[in-house]
Every structure is written in structure tokens, then in C-alpha cells.
Amino acid sequence: METGMLLVTIIGLTCGQGPTERVRAFDLAHEGRPACSIVIARNPGPAARLAALELQYHVLKISGAEIPIRSESEAVEGRRILVGESSATRQFGLRGADFKPQEYAIAFRKDAIVLMGRDWEDTEENRRVEGRPMAGETLQALRHRIDYWKGVGCPDRSTGAMELPGLHDDQGTCLATYDFLERFCGVRWYGPSEISIVIPARKTLSAGGRDIRRAPALRHRGAFPGGNWPFLRGQWGDFTREQVLLYWRRIRQGGERWAGNHTFHRETIKSLFNDPEYQCRNPRGLGSQLCYTHPKLIGHVAQMARDYFDGKGALPAGWKALGDYFAIVPDDNMNLCNCSGCEPLLRKGSTRATGFFSSAEMSDYWFHFVNAVAREVRKTHPDKYIATLAYWAYAFPPGFDMEPNVSIAPCLHTCYYPVHAEMRENDMRFYSEWRKRTSAPMFLWVYYHHPMEPALIDRWKCFPNVMVHETARAMRMFIRDGVRGIYECGEQDQLEQYVMVKVWDDPGVDVDGLIDEFFRLYFGAAGDPMEKFYLRLEAIACDPANYPPPYTRANGIDWRKAAWERLGTPERMEELGAFISQAEKLAETETEKRRVGLWRNAIWEWMRQGSGR
Ligand SMILES: [Zn+2]
């Protein structure tokens, strides 16, 4: 833990709502000693239980003071932080049920701070709700169990394993507490490991100000970075699975229930869709494709969706459905049924190639099936959605209108946007068309897989595709366009990942401010050259002039050749290496040195190996 005597007091006044008297900031900790109590309900749910521990732990790390956690049933003297709904918050007129999903409040009252929102209730009925989410097999599997104190590096405090709030369960109290720790206590979660979290040192910690009542802008937030790829893994340093599970909650991922990914594939066809009548008539597609115009198949899938929405029967492994969304997505091949019902619909797509990965060759065929299922399901469940992707050969809308209960998730090649204008424009064509032609909630699948994925598969080293400003721009546009959720496919670098989830929370956030703050807080005395290094990587990676043909093709980029022939040229490597050397010289504290070392090993050494220099 860093120590210091920085004394920061944030003084403000509350707005008119609630109290009539002015509420001054009060001390949470004073000269390293606790100056208040955390109060929770007698039987707190998973969100309040975690939030109370997170508040206690972070204040302890900041100030050295251990704020006691008390139950509402105990007599508590003095100032209180009320975490989650309790009899004490009800006395202030604050009830969880009055909050909208994901809405939360940070409220200042006389001698009390309230951190709460709507929370999932641990009832038998709520536990019975089924789903097949993106980040795990079932909803229950996303209520991860961890040993909290072991996870945060204090095993001597362990009280055994506890259940974390499910990623897609309401946890307004956690949202409030994490926001409070960032806004009022200066905590920054730049990663899951201890070294990647910025915790200021303040013996005296105060908070006060205006009430905050809000919700994250993006309802479904699907970034679950696991440190699976070299940049994040290296930048984060040593981390455990438990820390990653906490980190996803701290950066507020999950949220509204939605899922969309492949559902018809060899496994589900074998286990569930094995009726000989609607098997694919094209022998090459037998076992991976079905006859998507067959009425019996349409009836079977519609009934499955109804059963899911009625809470009857479990969905097969490898399926995707969550909340009000039941996903149907075909397998990734063109060996489609050629029966007399399917063939004419497929023929309509034969002239609709685009020259890009994303086209309309299968659109009439696929969306004919989606519409047929949606029409059936709407008869009984008009407020539920059939979810599908707008992807690959069915990226563009079909030549007919979509049913109003079809929720589309366009799959966008965001990682190409800065440097491949034609691909970006092709993406924007189908994204805009879908926006015009559907009124159901829209979700997105955004790719951050290139160039790292092919580099890992074929074992070469890519130039770091830093594109933080373009990522922020695109995400801001998506949210302002009304997109309801985004799923990230791939992993970015540590800072871009952080900036992206901040824009998801608030598209109005000052991106350059976030970047400057990161380099100042994270690298301290070495911040300036590290920031120059990072922004120079971005300038090189995002300049289309660095990818002339043949490095850029109609439908892609030769990332491998571009990396060290066009991007990491000898002159640029020299310039970039100088920033790293300068940062190493300037780093003062042990923490600064370690962080510079992690970035050097994760990014710079990778680049040196790739360039052979
Ligand atoms: Zn057919």
C-alpha cells in the first residue's frame, strides 16, 4: 500500500431533493482511523454484500482505516454510509424498487451517505430463471463464487467463499459504490491485478456534494476481457481468476440480459433438430445446416422460444437466449439446403455480393426464416424478441420488411475503421439500413480481433493496433444512435479497453482527459514519455497512408506484411524506443518502475521481436 499524507476534502452542497439543511462533506476516515460505519440490511443480497466489502477494502487501502460493517439491526452511533436498501434508507424515502433497472443513487444526507439502486433479490423464483448468456453457460454460472479477501490479497481476513452478484442480475448498489469510489475516493481500476489499480493514499478521506442519480448509458455491456491475449496479459502483470471476476464488476460489465450468437450448429442439430423431415437437402450441408423454409422446423423453433419465455424446459448447451431475447443464428458455411422451397430464396441473393466479408447473399433466405419464427412467437408473446445477427452473407437487410419483434445485432469490423475506409463504409451501409428498417432494440457485435488473432494463430508479431480515439468516436456514435448493447469480440490494450467501457457508461466523457489522467496517475514521473509512446503508436497504426495497396486489399489488410515493412519502420522503432528508455530513466517509485516494465515487456519487447530490431 502506498502511504502519504495527502489531505483532500471535497466539499459541496446537496441539491434540493430530500434534506432541507445543507450537508457538508464528512470524514469517512480521519488520520488513518475510521470515522463512520457502513450499514447494510440484516439479510443483504449479493450486490449489497459485495458493495460493502468493496467500500471497506478500498477505504482501508486508501487510508489505513477499517470502517466497520454493521447490520441495520445494531445500534450505530455517528456517521453512516448506507449500502443497499435497509430500514435506514427507507427512513430517507429510498427504496430499491423505486429505481429503474441499473439506476442508482449516491445521496448525501445529514450524517449519512446513501449508496444504492435496484438490486436482484435472492428468491427461489429468481434463481429458477434460465438463460444462455454470452459470457458463460447459464445465468447461475455468472453468479461466480470467490473468496473475496483472498481475491484482494488479504487471505488472513478470509471468511470463505461468497457468491458475487450475477453479471446480468440487477446490482444498482454495486454501480453506486463503484461510482462513489471513483468520483469521491480517486480509485481507478485499470486492470484486475493489484499493480494495475490506482488507489490514492489519504490518511483523511472525506466526501460530500450533490446527489447523483443515474444509470450507465449502454444497457448491455459485453466486454469481458480475461487477459487472454499478450498485450493485456502482459500489461496487467500477475493476476488471478478471482481478480478478473471482481474487475468485470468494477468496470460494470454485464447489465441488461441479451445474447446473440450461433445456435444452429452440429451439436444442437445432433441433439435437438434431428427430425429427418427438415434436414438439409444439400448433402454437403447435412448435419450443419437445416431446411430453413420447412414449416415443421419453423414450428419447432417457435415452440422452443415460447417454452423459453414461459420458463419451461432447459435450453441445450451451445444455445443463446437471455432475458427477452431468444437467438437464432445459423452455422458458418454456405452449404445450404437446395430444396424447392429454399432454392428460390437463395437465388435472390446471388446478385447481392458486395466484395466484402459482409454481404446480402444469404439475407433473403435467412431472414425469411427469422421472420417466420418471429411471426409465430408474436402471436403468443408480443413483447418478446427473436434475436439474430446481421453478419457475413446475411449482414444486409433482406428485400422485405422485418417483423417488429426481431432484434438485430449487426457485426461490425470496428478494428478496421481507422485505416480501411471501404470496409467501414460497407459496415455503415448495413448498420444504417438496419437502423432505418427496424424499431426493435438493436445490439452490436464489435470486432477487435485483428490483427492480434491471426498473429497468434500463425505465430507472428503484429504492430499494436492502438486506435483509442476512433474506438471512442465509434462507441459514442453507437450509443447516441440508440444502440442498446455491445458485445466486444477480442481484446484491446489496457488503456483502450478502459476508455471504451468509460464511453459505454457515459458517451459524454472527456476522452483526452481520461487518457491524460491515466498516464499521470499510472506512470507518475514517467507519464509524459509513456503517453507520447502510446499516442505515437496510435498515430502510426491509424494512418491510412501507411497501408497502401497491396497492403490494403478490397476485403482486408495484409497486417503481417504491413507490420514491419510499413508501420514499425527502423526510424519509427528508434523514435519509439527512445520514449521507453526515457520513461525507464524518469520512473521514480517502485510502482512506476514496475508499471513501465510491464508495458515495456508486453508491448515494446513484442515489437522488437516482431521487427527483428
Ligand atoms: Zn429446404
Side-chain angles (χ1 to χ4, degrees), residues 447-485:
Y447 287 112
Y448 280 92
H449 58 338
H450 287 183
M452 185 56 91
E453 192 180 70
L456 292 176
I457 291 170
D458 294 329
R459 294 166 187 236
W460 49 276
K461 303 272 193 291
C462 58
F463 189 86
N465 194 29
V466 174
M467 47 175 283
V468 62
H469 286 90
E470 170 57 26
T471 288
R473 185 204 65 80
M475 298 301 166
R476 198 181 296 126
M477 175 187 79
F478 297 146
I479 293 172
R480 290 185 174 156
D481 284 349
V483 164
R484 205 164 171 90

Short mmCIF file of all heavy atoms in Angstrom, two decimals, residues 447-485:
data_model
loop_
_atom_site.label_atom_id
_atom_site.label_comp_id
_atom_site.label_asym_id
_atom_site.label_seq_id
_atom_site.Cartn_x
_atom_site.Cartn_y
_atom_site.Cartn_z
N TYR A 447 -15.93 -6.21 -33.58
CA TYR A 447 -14.70 -6.99 -33.69
C TYR A 447 -13.48 -6.18 -33.28
O TYR A 447 -13.24 -5.10 -33.79
CB TYR A 447 -14.49 -7.43 -35.15
CG TYR A 447 -15.41 -8.52 -35.60
CD1 TYR A 447 -16.39 -8.26 -36.55
CD2 TYR A 447 -15.32 -9.81 -35.09
CE1 TYR A 447 -17.25 -9.25 -36.99
CE2 TYR A 447 -16.18 -10.81 -35.52
CZ TYR A 447 -17.13 -10.53 -36.47
OH TYR A 447 -17.98 -11.51 -36.89
N TYR A 448 -12.73 -6.73 -32.36
CA TYR A 448 -11.39 -6.24 -32.04
C TYR A 448 -10.42 -7.41 -32.15
O TYR A 448 -9.56 -7.60 -31.31
CB TYR A 448 -11.37 -5.59 -30.65
CG TYR A 448 -11.92 -4.18 -30.69
CD1 TYR A 448 -13.26 -3.93 -30.47
CD2 TYR A 448 -11.10 -3.12 -31.02
CE1 TYR A 448 -13.78 -2.65 -30.56
CE2 TYR A 448 -11.59 -1.83 -31.12
CZ TYR A 448 -12.94 -1.60 -30.88
OH TYR A 448 -13.42 -0.32 -30.98
N HIS A 449 -10.62 -8.21 -33.20
CA HIS A 449 -9.84 -9.45 -33.30
C HIS A 449 -8.61 -9.31 -34.18
O HIS A 449 -7.66 -10.05 -34.03
CB HIS A 449 -10.72 -10.60 -33.80
CG HIS A 449 -11.36 -10.34 -35.14
ND1 HIS A 449 -11.54 -9.07 -35.65
CD2 HIS A 449 -11.86 -11.19 -36.07
CE1 HIS A 449 -12.12 -9.17 -36.83
NE2 HIS A 449 -12.32 -10.43 -37.12
N HIS A 450 -8.62 -8.33 -35.10
CA HIS A 450 -7.46 -8.17 -35.98
C HIS A 450 -6.66 -6.95 -35.55
O HIS A 450 -7.25 -5.98 -35.12
CB HIS A 450 -7.93 -7.99 -37.44
CG HIS A 450 -8.42 -9.26 -38.03
ND1 HIS A 450 -8.84 -9.37 -39.34
CD2 HIS A 450 -8.59 -10.51 -37.50
CE1 HIS A 450 -9.24 -10.61 -39.58
NE2 HIS A 450 -9.10 -11.32 -38.48
N PRO A 451 -5.38 -6.98 -35.66
CA PRO A 451 -4.54 -8.03 -36.25
C PRO A 451 -4.11 -9.13 -35.26
O PRO A 451 -3.42 -10.07 -35.66
CB PRO A 451 -3.30 -7.24 -36.70
CG PRO A 451 -3.20 -6.12 -35.70
CD PRO A 451 -4.60 -5.78 -35.30
N MET A 452 -4.49 -9.03 -33.97
CA MET A 452 -3.90 -9.95 -33.00
C MET A 452 -4.29 -11.41 -33.22
O MET A 452 -3.45 -12.30 -33.09
CB MET A 452 -4.27 -9.51 -31.57
CG MET A 452 -3.61 -10.33 -30.48
SD MET A 452 -1.80 -10.39 -30.58
CE MET A 452 -1.34 -8.98 -29.57
N GLU A 453 -5.55 -11.66 -33.57
CA GLU A 453 -5.97 -13.07 -33.70
C GLU A 453 -5.18 -13.83 -34.77
O GLU A 453 -4.60 -14.88 -34.48
CB GLU A 453 -7.48 -13.14 -33.96
CG GLU A 453 -8.04 -14.54 -33.82
CD GLU A 453 -9.54 -14.57 -34.08
OE1 GLU A 453 -9.95 -14.38 -35.25
OE2 GLU A 453 -10.28 -14.74 -33.11
N PRO A 454 -5.10 -13.30 -36.01
CA PRO A 454 -4.28 -14.02 -36.99
C PRO A 454 -2.81 -14.10 -36.58
O PRO A 454 -2.13 -15.08 -36.89
CB PRO A 454 -4.45 -13.21 -38.28
CG PRO A 454 -5.08 -11.92 -37.89
CD PRO A 454 -5.81 -12.16 -36.61
N ALA A 455 -2.32 -13.07 -35.89
CA ALA A 455 -0.91 -13.09 -35.44
C ALA A 455 -0.69 -14.26 -34.48
O ALA A 455 0.33 -14.95 -34.55
CB ALA A 455 -0.54 -11.77 -34.79
N LEU A 456 -1.64 -14.47 -33.58
CA LEU A 456 -1.48 -15.56 -32.61
C LEU A 456 -1.62 -16.91 -33.30
O LEU A 456 -0.89 -17.85 -32.99
CB LEU A 456 -2.51 -15.42 -31.49
CG LEU A 456 -2.31 -14.21 -30.56
CD1 LEU A 456 -3.45 -14.12 -29.55
CD2 LEU A 456 -0.97 -14.29 -29.84
N ILE A 457 -2.57 -17.00 -34.24
CA ILE A 457 -2.80 -18.28 -34.90
C ILE A 457 -1.57 -18.67 -35.72
O ILE A 457 -1.11 -19.81 -35.67
CB ILE A 457 -4.07 -18.21 -35.79
CG1 ILE A 457 -5.32 -18.10 -34.89
CG2 ILE A 457 -4.18 -19.44 -36.70
CD1 ILE A 457 -6.61 -17.77 -35.64
N ASP A 458 -1.04 -17.70 -36.49
CA ASP A 458 0.09 -18.03 -37.36
C ASP A 458 1.45 -17.67 -36.76
O ASP A 458 2.47 -17.70 -37.45
CB ASP A 458 -0.09 -17.32 -38.72
CG ASP A 458 -1.30 -17.87 -39.47
OD1 ASP A 458 -1.60 -19.07 -39.30
OD2 ASP A 458 -1.96 -17.10 -40.20
N ARG A 459 1.46 -17.30 -35.50
CA ARG A 459 2.71 -17.06 -34.76
C ARG A 459 3.61 -16.02 -35.39
O ARG A 459 4.75 -16.27 -35.74
CB ARG A 459 3.49 -18.37 -34.58
CG ARG A 459 2.74 -19.33 -33.68
CD ARG A 459 3.31 -20.72 -33.78
NE ARG A 459 2.45 -21.62 -33.03
CZ ARG A 459 2.86 -22.39 -32.05
NH1 ARG A 459 4.10 -22.40 -31.68
NH2 ARG A 459 2.00 -23.17 -31.42
N TRP A 460 3.07 -14.84 -35.57
CA TRP A 460 3.91 -13.71 -35.92
C TRP A 460 3.53 -12.55 -35.01
O TRP A 460 2.58 -12.67 -34.24
CB TRP A 460 3.76 -13.34 -37.41
CG TRP A 460 2.35 -13.20 -37.89
CD1 TRP A 460 1.53 -14.21 -38.31
CD2 TRP A 460 1.58 -12.00 -38.00
NE1 TRP A 460 0.30 -13.72 -38.67
CE2 TRP A 460 0.30 -12.35 -38.50
CE3 TRP A 460 1.84 -10.65 -37.74
CZ2 TRP A 460 -0.72 -11.41 -38.73
CZ3 TRP A 460 0.84 -9.72 -37.99
CH2 TRP A 460 -0.42 -10.10 -38.47
N LYS A 461 4.29 -11.48 -35.08
CA LYS A 461 4.05 -10.35 -34.18
C LYS A 461 3.47 -9.17 -34.97
O LYS A 461 4.05 -8.73 -35.94
CB LYS A 461 5.37 -9.91 -33.52
CG LYS A 461 6.09 -11.02 -32.74
CD LYS A 461 5.60 -11.06 -31.31
CE LYS A 461 6.45 -11.91 -30.41
NZ LYS A 461 6.37 -13.36 -30.67
N CYS A 462 2.30 -8.71 -34.50
CA CYS A 462 1.65 -7.58 -35.19
C CYS A 462 2.13 -6.26 -34.60
O CYS A 462 2.65 -6.21 -33.49
CB CYS A 462 0.14 -7.70 -35.04
SG CYS A 462 -0.41 -7.75 -33.33
N PHE A 463 1.93 -5.20 -35.36
CA PHE A 463 2.13 -3.86 -34.81
C PHE A 463 0.90 -3.56 -33.94
O PHE A 463 -0.22 -3.86 -34.35
CB PHE A 463 2.24 -2.84 -35.95
CG PHE A 463 2.67 -1.47 -35.50
CD1 PHE A 463 4.03 -1.17 -35.37
CD2 PHE A 463 1.73 -0.50 -35.19
CE1 PHE A 463 4.43 0.09 -34.93
CE2 PHE A 463 2.13 0.76 -34.75
CZ PHE A 463 3.48 1.05 -34.62
N PRO A 464 1.10 -2.99 -32.74
CA PRO A 464 -0.06 -2.76 -31.86
C PRO A 464 -1.10 -1.85 -32.53
O PRO A 464 -0.78 -0.74 -32.92
CB PRO A 464 0.56 -2.06 -30.64
CG PRO A 464 2.00 -2.45 -30.66
CD PRO A 464 2.36 -2.58 -32.12
N ASN A 465 -2.31 -2.36 -32.64
CA ASN A 465 -3.36 -1.61 -33.35
C ASN A 465 -4.08 -0.66 -32.38
O ASN A 465 -5.28 -0.78 -32.17
CB ASN A 465 -4.33 -2.59 -34.00
CG ASN A 465 -5.24 -1.92 -35.03
OD1 ASN A 465 -4.85 -0.92 -35.64
ND2 ASN A 465 -6.44 -2.44 -35.21
N VAL A 466 -3.32 0.27 -31.83
CA VAL A 466 -3.89 1.24 -30.89
C VAL A 466 -4.78 2.21 -31.67
O VAL A 466 -4.33 2.82 -32.64
CB VAL A 466 -2.78 2.02 -30.15
CG1 VAL A 466 -3.40 3.12 -29.29
CG2 VAL A 466 -1.93 1.07 -29.31
N MET A 467 -6.04 2.31 -31.27
CA MET A 467 -6.98 3.19 -32.01
C MET A 467 -7.99 3.77 -31.03
O MET A 467 -9.19 3.81 -31.29
CB MET A 467 -7.68 2.39 -33.12
CG MET A 467 -8.23 1.04 -32.69
SD MET A 467 -9.18 0.19 -33.99
CE MET A 467 -10.71 1.11 -33.93
N VAL A 468 -7.46 4.26 -29.90
CA VAL A 468 -8.34 4.63 -28.79
C VAL A 468 -9.32 5.75 -29.16
O VAL A 468 -10.49 5.70 -28.77
CB VAL A 468 -7.48 4.96 -27.54
CG1 VAL A 468 -6.56 6.14 -27.78
CG2 VAL A 468 -8.35 5.17 -26.32
N HIS A 469 -8.86 6.74 -29.93
CA HIS A 469 -9.78 7.84 -30.26
C HIS A 469 -10.88 7.38 -31.21
O HIS A 469 -12.03 7.78 -31.08
CB HIS A 469 -9.01 9.03 -30.86
CG HIS A 469 -8.24 9.79 -29.82
ND1 HIS A 469 -6.94 9.48 -29.50
CD2 HIS A 469 -8.59 10.82 -29.02
CE1 HIS A 469 -6.52 10.29 -28.54
NE2 HIS A 469 -7.50 11.12 -28.23
N GLU A 470 -10.52 6.53 -32.19
CA GLU A 470 -11.52 6.03 -33.12
C GLU A 470 -12.52 5.12 -32.39
O GLU A 470 -13.72 5.16 -32.65
CB GLU A 470 -10.83 5.29 -34.27
CG GLU A 470 -11.76 4.52 -35.19
CD GLU A 470 -12.86 5.36 -35.85
OE1 GLU A 470 -12.67 6.59 -36.01
OE2 GLU A 470 -13.91 4.77 -36.18
N THR A 471 -12.01 4.32 -31.46
CA THR A 471 -12.90 3.47 -30.66
C THR A 471 -13.89 4.34 -29.89
O THR A 471 -15.10 4.08 -29.89
CB THR A 471 -12.07 2.59 -29.71
OG1 THR A 471 -11.42 1.59 -30.48
CG2 THR A 471 -12.94 1.91 -28.66
N ALA A 472 -13.39 5.39 -29.27
CA ALA A 472 -14.27 6.27 -28.50
C ALA A 472 -15.30 6.94 -29.42
O ALA A 472 -16.48 7.03 -29.09
CB ALA A 472 -13.45 7.33 -27.77
N ARG A 473 -14.83 7.37 -30.61
CA ARG A 473 -15.74 8.03 -31.54
C ARG A 473 -16.86 7.09 -31.97
O ARG A 473 -18.04 7.43 -31.96
CB ARG A 473 -14.98 8.51 -32.79
CG ARG A 473 -15.83 9.31 -33.78
CD ARG A 473 -15.27 9.26 -35.21
NE ARG A 473 -15.29 7.94 -35.79
CZ ARG A 473 -16.39 7.37 -36.33
NH1 ARG A 473 -17.53 8.02 -36.36
NH2 ARG A 473 -16.32 6.13 -36.82
N ALA A 474 -16.47 5.87 -32.37
CA ALA A 474 -17.46 4.91 -32.85
C ALA A 474 -18.45 4.55 -31.74
O ALA A 474 -19.66 4.53 -31.97
CB ALA A 474 -16.75 3.65 -33.37
N MET A 475 -17.96 4.30 -30.54
CA MET A 475 -18.84 3.89 -29.44
C MET A 475 -19.81 5.02 -29.07
O MET A 475 -20.98 4.79 -28.78
CB MET A 475 -18.02 3.48 -28.21
CG MET A 475 -17.11 2.29 -28.46
SD MET A 475 -18.03 0.82 -28.98
CE MET A 475 -16.69 -0.21 -29.60
N ARG A 476 -19.29 6.25 -29.08
CA ARG A 476 -20.14 7.41 -28.79
C ARG A 476 -21.27 7.48 -29.81
O ARG A 476 -22.43 7.68 -29.46
CB ARG A 476 -19.27 8.67 -28.85
CG ARG A 476 -19.87 9.88 -28.17
CD ARG A 476 -18.95 11.08 -28.30
NE ARG A 476 -17.66 10.90 -27.65
CZ ARG A 476 -16.48 11.06 -28.26
NH1 ARG A 476 -16.39 11.38 -29.53
NH2 ARG A 476 -15.36 10.88 -27.59
N MET A 477 -20.92 7.29 -31.08
CA MET A 477 -21.94 7.33 -32.15
C MET A 477 -22.97 6.22 -31.94
O MET A 477 -24.18 6.47 -32.02
CB MET A 477 -21.26 7.18 -33.50
CG MET A 477 -22.24 7.10 -34.66
SD MET A 477 -21.41 6.72 -36.23
CE MET A 477 -21.18 4.96 -36.08
N PHE A 478 -22.52 5.01 -31.65
CA PHE A 478 -23.46 3.89 -31.48
C PHE A 478 -24.45 4.20 -30.34
O PHE A 478 -25.66 3.98 -30.48
CB PHE A 478 -22.72 2.60 -31.15
CG PHE A 478 -21.79 2.11 -32.24
CD1 PHE A 478 -20.59 1.46 -31.92
CD2 PHE A 478 -22.11 2.29 -33.58
CE1 PHE A 478 -19.74 1.01 -32.92
CE2 PHE A 478 -21.25 1.84 -34.58
CZ PHE A 478 -20.07 1.20 -34.26
N ILE A 479 -23.93 4.71 -29.25
CA ILE A 479 -24.81 4.97 -28.10
C ILE A 479 -25.79 6.09 -28.43
O ILE A 479 -26.98 6.00 -28.16
CB ILE A 479 -23.98 5.29 -26.84
CG1 ILE A 479 -23.21 4.04 -26.42
CG2 ILE A 479 -24.87 5.78 -25.70
CD1 ILE A 479 -22.21 4.26 -25.32
N ARG A 480 -25.28 7.14 -29.07
CA ARG A 480 -26.17 8.25 -29.42
C ARG A 480 -27.19 7.83 -30.47
O ARG A 480 -28.26 8.41 -30.57
CB ARG A 480 -25.35 9.46 -29.86
CG ARG A 480 -24.63 10.02 -28.63
CD ARG A 480 -23.88 11.30 -28.86
NE ARG A 480 -23.37 11.78 -27.57
CZ ARG A 480 -22.34 12.57 -27.40
NH1 ARG A 480 -21.70 13.02 -28.44
NH2 ARG A 480 -21.97 12.95 -26.19
N ASP A 481 -26.87 6.81 -31.26
CA ASP A 481 -27.83 6.26 -32.23
C ASP A 481 -28.88 5.38 -31.55
O ASP A 481 -29.77 4.87 -32.23
CB ASP A 481 -27.10 5.40 -33.28
CG ASP A 481 -26.35 6.25 -34.30
OD1 ASP A 481 -26.57 7.48 -34.34
OD2 ASP A 481 -25.54 5.68 -35.06
N GLY A 482 -28.74 5.16 -30.26
CA GLY A 482 -29.75 4.39 -29.54
C GLY A 482 -29.45 2.90 -29.43
O GLY A 482 -30.32 2.13 -29.01
N VAL A 483 -28.23 2.49 -29.81
CA VAL A 483 -27.87 1.08 -29.64
C VAL A 483 -27.97 0.71 -28.16
O VAL A 483 -27.57 1.47 -27.29
CB VAL A 483 -26.43 0.85 -30.18
CG1 VAL A 483 -25.87 -0.47 -29.69
CG2 VAL A 483 -26.43 0.92 -31.70
N ARG A 484 -28.55 -0.46 -27.89
CA ARG A 484 -28.88 -0.83 -26.51
C ARG A 484 -27.79 -1.66 -25.84
O ARG A 484 -27.69 -1.71 -24.61
CB ARG A 484 -30.17 -1.62 -26.54
CG ARG A 484 -30.90 -1.55 -25.24
CD ARG A 484 -32.33 -2.01 -25.37
NE ARG A 484 -32.89 -2.10 -24.04
CZ ARG A 484 -33.51 -1.11 -23.41
NH1 ARG A 484 -33.68 0.06 -24.01
NH2 ARG A 484 -33.97 -1.28 -22.19
N GLY A 485 -26.98 -2.31 -26.63
CA GLY A 485 -25.94 -3.14 -26.03
C GLY A 485 -24.86 -3.44 -27.03
O GLY A 485 -25.09 -3.43 -28.24
#
